Amino acid sequence: MSILTLNSCSEKEIATPKTDNFVYSVDRFADIEVLRYKVPGFEDLSLKQKELIYYLSQAALEGRDILYDQNNKYNLTIRKTLEAIYENYKGDRNDKEFLALECYLKRVWFSNGIHHHYATDKFTPEFSESFFETTVRTLPSNTLPIQAYDNSVEKLIAAIKPVIFDSTLYAKRVNQNEDIDLVKNSANNYYEGVSEAEVDQYYNSKKDPNDPMPISWGLNSKLMKENGNLVEKTWKIGGMYSDAIQKIVYWLEKASKVAENEEQQRVINSLIDYYESGDLLTFDEYSILWVKDLDSRIDFINGFIETYGDPLGLKASWESVVNFKDLEATKRTEIISENAQWFEDNSPVDSRFKKEAVHGVSAKVITAAMLGGDCHPATPIGINLPNANWIRQMHGSKSVTIENITDAYDKASLGNGFSDEFVWSDTEKELIEKYGFQADNLHTDLHECLGHGSGKLLPGVSQDALRAYGATIEEARADLFGLYYAADEKMVELGLLPNEDAYKAEYYKYMMNGLMTQLTRIELGNNIEESHMRNRQLIARWVFEKGEKDKVVEIKERDGKSFVVINDYKKMRDLIGNLLAEIQRIKSEGDFEAAKELVEKYAVKVDQNLHKEIKDRYARLNLAPYKGFVNPVYKPIYDGDKLVDVEVSYDENFVEQMLRYSKNHSHLPALN
């Protein structure tokens, strides 16, 4: 077997773990493994619920092109060109140049563009410029996206060849280096022709620091210059991305007619109003309605939601998740929600930063039925929304753990040798084997259900005050909250963990990942850029350093290999509580300088010797650092004009799905 590097497109042998005759692994390329996920319980839903899921799942696919364009203005042109090559190539498909192009195309599909979905660095093609040019010229012109390039194949090549092959052009999709202009040095398509200072000035002029219900200015628009003037291109029907949004609304209108109840119907109709108007006040109204819809079993996210793709944390990427409640598993999150005030009151943070009364914390375990946009193919395992702090404080939040996704990860990892290579001793292995899945899900529950919804900002503090460090600090805050309480005896009292040792599985896995094994996800020599990875290293490195004198956590060497060893779990919990208190203070006070110091000191830099060691050990296991999913396929069954069932199948492979999506759900021009 060949050894994998981040940019390598070498062929890899695929392990195909199988449970109950379900094959989880679908494809393997570069640093990616593509999996399937099951949708247990779908067959038991009513026909009306299945119909609703079908319509919402179609809406979840129609915004795919939006995300590509948001990630970089040339992504759609490049994807459409590569797909034309893939489908019309007449040469030897076993030729190394074609195989390299095929791998590059798969990476573009997986990352929704030419930049790594996690590291945000631009991919390095392993096919030559000459092969690319020659091949494009051999294709029928009607297969290529030349309309935006004066119907000229040569102009198409001239436009995208440097984007693909020049490593200095659009090098990083999200640049978080505060020492440079974040806007000009990020390759996303949220801004064009403007500087970071101009963006700040433009949106600061709109903000009212005394407004108790601040609008999320800039959330659903591109900011650019026309004739020297700043102009917002709003993403709405009749505005930017109109053709794709019209398709989304088409399916939402169908979904509205089969909603489970009037409250859910109001949610869907409010989202439609927002897509039609682009009005951010309407988005807030929709978000409040969505938070309050607690009776529907079917639920969904659809829209411009998360701001990780914008280094300034203003612009939101398009995403969608369609899901239904796992009634049995939700019992544990309901227990957590019912005790939300206890968790807030007993948090180790300063009382000035605690909520006096926790409102509307709802949590559930869900079964994902369809993933779309920025949640596909790579997907979160938990979600807490809405993001507006004032809505959380006044109306509450809705949190989910996506258990059929975590189950797929768990099943696909069976017998992969990871624990034998990286876990210190049989004691830790037994803890992880017995309690790892349960403790990990509980940490996700606590992170999403309560962590993000805990605490409060002091009056006058903007939720954007921490700028590029805001996402890392927020994820660290939620992770620390979950870690702190996972070790509390209350977890056993509430029946959420079986005994007082179970939490140790999560502590060990977290420290091992934060200190060592997540380094497999970045190239040698690179710093950590992605906010979630920064968060994990920040916590692990801070705890390691502060506990070094008492040897709370150590990195020990055996047979030339490094291992994490936790000597005192109780003291580790105390350190986690101390860091949680400081992180909450930074968030509540909007202390940018303290956030910068903490992140830059603990979260960014990498021990290069340890990094190389971990990469080499991981490579020998023949594992992919990143995983994502193909979606199930839903097929409506009719008797004449009457819908009689919706069937779900799992046999579509990654290439088939990506090509089908590009054929059936691609509604935007190559340039927007």
Side-chain angles (χ1 to χ4, degrees):
M1 297 182 196
S2 55
I3 297 299
L4 179 71
T5 63
L6 181 64
N7 278 319
S8 174
C9 287
S10 302
E11 289 295 310
K12 302 290 291 182
E13 294 185 17
I14 305 172
T16 54
K18 185 182 293 187
T19 303
D20 298 329
N21 295 317
F22 189 86
V23 179
Y24 285 91
S25 190
V26 178
D27 205 343
R28 176 74 184 274
F29 50 91
D31 57 349
I32 302 296
E33 184 176 13
V34 182
L35 307 175
R36 293 185 176 93
Y37 63 92
K38 292 194 287 188
V39 190
F42 178 78
E43 292 82 359
D44 299 326
L45 298 174
S46 70
L47 177 58
K48 187 178 180 182
Q49 288 173 320
K50 290 180 182 178
E51 185 178 8
L52 176 59
I53 286 177
Y54 175 70
Y55 294 146
L56 291 173
S57 71
Q58 294 301 106
L61 300 177
E62 301 291 18
R64 179 173 179 251
D65 276 6
I66 295 175
L67 180 65
Y68 273 87
D69 194 73
Q70 288 179 315
N71 284 342
N72 184 267
K73 68 179 293 183
Y74 292 103
N75 272 339
L76 286 174
T77 300
I78 292 171
R79 190 197 78 198
K80 291 171 186 283
T81 302
L82 294 172
E83 288 172 344
I85 295 173
Y86 185 83
E87 293 193 284
N88 297 281
Y89 185 69
K90 302 300 183 184
D92 180 5
R93 286 180 172 259
N94 291 315
D95 178 78
K96 66 177 183 179
E97 293 264 43
F98 179 81
L99 291 174
L101 183 140
E102 178 184 37
C103 178
Y104 185 88
L105 173 57
K106 287 182 178 182
R107 300 186 80 186
V108 168
W109 280 333
F110 191 90
S111 295
N112 297 288
I114 61 174
H115 297 86
H116 195 278
H117 72 288
Y118 215 78
T120 79
D121 295 315
K122 192 168 75 170
F123 299 135
T124 300
E126 295 184 2
F127 54 94
S128 66
E129 293 184 49
S130 60
F131 173 79
F132 176 74
E133 284 190 62
T134 301
T135 304
V136 171
R137 290 192 181 104
T138 66
L139 300 179
S141 60
N142 63 357
T143 66
L144 293 167
I146 57 176
Q147 295 81 3
Y149 302 91
D150 297 329
N151 290 310
S152 166
V153 174
E154 293 306 316
K155 288 185 178 180
L156 168 70
I157 293 172
I160 63 174
K161 189 176 75 169
V163 180
I164 295 173
F165 292 98
D166 184 347
S167 62
T168 66
L169 187 62
Y170 300 115
K172 198 166 191 64
R173 178 167 57 84
V174 185
N175 200 318
Q176 295 183 320
N177 182 353
E178 277 283 341
D179 296 329
I180 61 175
D181 188 306
L182 299 179
V183 170
K184 289 185 175 180
N185 288 280
S186 294
N188 60 56
N189 195 26
Y190 295 128
Y191 309 98
E192 188 168 346
V194 299
S195 68
E196 180 181 352
E198 288 173 314
V199 175
D200 285 343
Q201 184 178 11
Y202 181 83
Y203 286 114
N204 286 339
S205 69
K206 292 177 174 289
K207 294 177 182 177
D208 178 359
N210 298 313
D211 187 352
M213 298 180 290
I215 294 172
S216 301
W217 293 111
L219 190 74
N220 65 333
S221 65
K222 177 179 178 177
L223 185 65
M224 59 187 299
K225 279 186 178 176
E226 288 185 351
N227 301 318
N229 298 315
L230 287 171
V231 176
E232 278 191 288
K233 299 288 187 179
T234 303
W235 307 323
K236 64 173 184 174
I237 290 179
M240 193 171 179
Y241 302 143
S242 180
D243 290 345
I245 294 173
Q246 283 179 321
K247 292 291 186 180
I248 296 169
V249 167
Y250 169 82
W251 291 106
L252 289 177
E253 288 174 339
K254 285 183 169 293
S256 175
K257 294 175 182 177
V258 293
E260 293 182 272
N261 50 60
E262 290 183 2
E263 191 171 19
Q264 185 181 63
Q265 188 174 57
R266 284 194 294 272
V267 171
I268 298 171
N269 290 339
S270 181
L271 179 58
I272 292 170
D273 290 343
Y274 166 59
Y275 274 137
E276 290 176 339
S277 69
D279 187 343
L280 288 168
L281 287 174
T282 304
F283 177 69
D284 288 341
E285 293 167 3
Y286 152 74
S287 298
I288 294 168
L289 287 173
W290 179 78
V291 164
K292 292 183 175 181
D293 177 18
L294 303 177
D295 295 329
S296 304
R297 186 173 183 192
I298 313 300
D299 205 350
F300 71 102
I301 297 162
N302 187 301
F304 306 106
I305 309 294
E306 300 289 1
T307 60
Y308 297 108
D310 177 3
L312 302 185
L314 298 173
K315 309 292 181 183
S317 60
W318 189 90
E319 68 178 56
S320 186
V321 177
V322 183
N323 63 84
F324 57 93
K325 186 187 295 187
D326 182 328
L327 298 178
E328 182 61 32
T330 292
K331 292 176 182 177
R332 73 167 187 263
T333 54
E334 288 173 343
I335 292 171
I336 293 171
S337 297
E338 290 165 0
N339 288 274
Q341 192 65 58
W342 181 90
F343 285 98
E344 186 77 0
D345 293 343
N346 288 276
S347 172
V349 309
D350 191 295
S351 59
R352 293 179 299 142
F353 312 135
K354 294 181 182 181
K355 290 178 178 175
E356 293 81 6
V358 179
H359 296 291
V361 175
S362 66
K364 58 186 175 181
V365 178
I366 63 169
T367 298
M370 183 62 68
L371 308 169
D374 215 4
C375 293
H376 183 257
T379 185
I381 59 174
I383 299 169
N384 177 273
L385 292 172
N387 286 325
N389 277 293
W390 71 268
I391 296 179
R392 291 174 182 272
Q393 194 158 339
M394 296 175 66
H395 301 281
S397 61
K398 194 183 287 186
S399 303
V400 300
T401 300
I402 313 177
E403 194 149 307
N404 64 325
I405 295 297
T406 59
D407 180 68
Y409 282 133
D410 188 61
K411 296 287 176 40
S413 69
L414 293 175
N416 64 11
F418 179 86
S419 289
D420 290 334
E421 179 62 39
F422 289 107
V423 177
W424 172 246
S425 74
D426 288 342
T427 300
E428 289 85 2
K429 289 178 189 176
E430 289 171 9
L431 276 171
I432 292 169
E433 185 176 342
K434 283 183 180 179
Y435 310 120
F437 183 70
Q438 186 177 5
D440 200 13
N441 278 336
L442 176 62
H443 181 237
T444 301
D445 293 341
L446 292 166
H447 173 115
E448 300 294 350
C449 301
L450 300 180
H452 281 305
S454 65
K456 66 179 182 181
L457 301 180
L458 295 184
V461 174
S462 168
Q463 67 179 31
D464 305 321
L466 304 182
R467 296 172 58 80
Y469 301 109
T472 298
I473 293 297
E474 176 57 23
E475 291 304 322
R477 192 175 71 93
D479 258 2
L480 287 162
F481 193 98
L483 288 168
Y484 181 78
Y485 278 114
D488 198 287
E489 60 186 17
K490 189 81 169 178
M491 298 300 99
V492 179
E493 178 189 323
L494 294 174
L496 298 172
L497 286 179
N499 58 57
E500 293 183 357
D501 286 328
Y503 79 92
K504 294 178 181 178
E506 182 63 11
Y507 271 33
Y508 189 84
K509 287 171 62 180
Y510 196 94
M511 292 299 290
M512 179 177 63
N513 189 37
L515 290 172
M516 296 196 323
T517 55
Q518 73 168 1
L519 296 177
T520 60
R521 294 184 161 202
I522 58 175
E523 288 191 84
L524 289 173
N526 282 6
N527 290 331
I528 297 176
E529 297 285 348
E530 200 278 334
S531 297
H532 296 80
M533 288 184 70
R534 283 185 166 190
N535 140 52
R536 290 189 287 267
Q537 178 165 291
L538 188 161
I539 293 172
R541 282 287 168 192
W542 191 95
V543 168
F544 179 80
E545 179 188 289
K546 301 304 179 184
E548 194 167 15
K549 181 179 178 181
D550 296 327
K551 295 185 177 181
V552 176
V553 181
E554 294 182 274
I555 295 180
K556 291 186 177 181
E557 190 172 301
R558 183 178 64 211
D559 301 327
K561 298 178 180 180
S562 301
F563 296 87
V564 169
V565 179
I566 300 177
N567 297 311
D568 194 325
Y569 285 90
K570 297 296 184 183
K571 285 186 178 179
M572 180 178 158
R573 192 211 181 195
D574 292 339
L575 291 170
I576 285 169
N578 294 340
L579 182 55
L580 173 58
E582 173 60 6
I583 290 280
Q584 182 63 62
R585 183 199 68 77
I586 290 171
K587 173 84 173 181
S588 295
E589 294 181 349
D591 190 341
F592 174 81
E593 291 301 327
K596 179 179 180 179
E597 181 179 355
L598 201 58
V599 172
E600 293 293 345
K601 181 175 181 180
Y602 295 102
V604 179
K605 302 298 181 183
V606 174
D607 180 325
Q608 296 301 319
N609 292 328
L610 180 62
H611 190 185
K612 185 179 186 308
E613 177 200 325
I614 298 303
K615 293 275 284 187
D616 289 345
R617 290 165 64 185
Y618 198 84
R620 287 192 288 272
L621 293 175
N622 191 30
L623 302 177
Y626 299 96
K627 293 177 174 62
F629 295 90
V630 292
N631 281 314
V633 178
Y634 296 94
K635 181 181 178 181
I637 307 299
Y638 293 93
D639 182 1
D641 294 331
K642 182 181 179 183
L643 181 73
V644 295
D645 200 5
V646 177
E647 294 180 348
V648 59
S649 62
Y650 305 100
D651 52 2
E652 192 170 46
N653 68 36
F654 183 60
V655 173
E656 291 168 341
Q657 185 157 103
M658 293 298 98
L659 289 175
R660 178 170 66 86
Y661 285 0
S662 293
K663 179 181 179 181
N664 296 341
H665 305 289
S666 183
H667 310 295
L668 296 181
L671 281 180
N672 297 276

